Amino acid sequence: QVQLVESGGGLVQAGGSRRLSCAASGRTFTGYHMGWFRQAPGKEREFVASIAWSGGSTYYADSVKGRFSISRDNAKNTLYLQMNSLKPEDTAVYYCAARVTIVAIWNYWGQGTQVTVSS
């Protein structure tokens, strides 16, 4: 079992930046493929970014590519999402997720943190 707790959400103006964190506990964090998802009001949850256990490979949704950066610190059992040049359409609840391999389903989810971007 892996427990995930997100933090760092809040209100930010368009064009601003925000960094989300996801603290993991339980089983070894290092071996897990980690990701960020988001869900806007009235929309389905969507993939934002993911990162391999080593941090060597990262993947991004086209909508955030070049603006968001995912990273992880395995020594601190923490996942990050640096969000720059934020837009009102980035407003959503952001979720941290984990899976045992890159092809597995996303087994573990955090409770989410709200990010609101004002225009």
Side-chain angles (χ1 to χ4, degrees), residues 57-72:
S57 296
T58 57
Y59 309 88
Y60 296 93
D62 288 342
S63 58
V64 306
K65 203 171 292 183
R67 300 188 298 122
F68 290 12
S69 178
I70 188 171
S71 61
R72 63 193 295 167

Side-chain angles (χ1 to χ4, degrees), residues 12-26:
V12 61
Q13 288 190 335
S17 298
R18 199 84 179 180
R19 189 176 81 158
L20 304 182
S21 298
C22 172
S25 60

Side-chain angles (χ1 to χ4, degrees), residues 4-52:
L4 305 172
V5 179
E6 303 94 335
S7 62
L11 177 64
V12 61
Q13 288 190 335
S17 298
R18 199 84 179 180
R19 189 176 81 158
L20 304 182
S21 298
C22 172
S25 60
R27 297 191 65 179
T28 303
F29 171 78
T30 304
Y32 284 80
H33 189 243
M34 303 293 298
W36 289 97
F37 291 74
R38 67 186 182 186
Q39 187 167 19
K43 295 187 177 181
E44 293 186 354
R45 190 174 299 188
E46 64 175 1
F47 169 79
V48 174
S50 66
I51 186 167

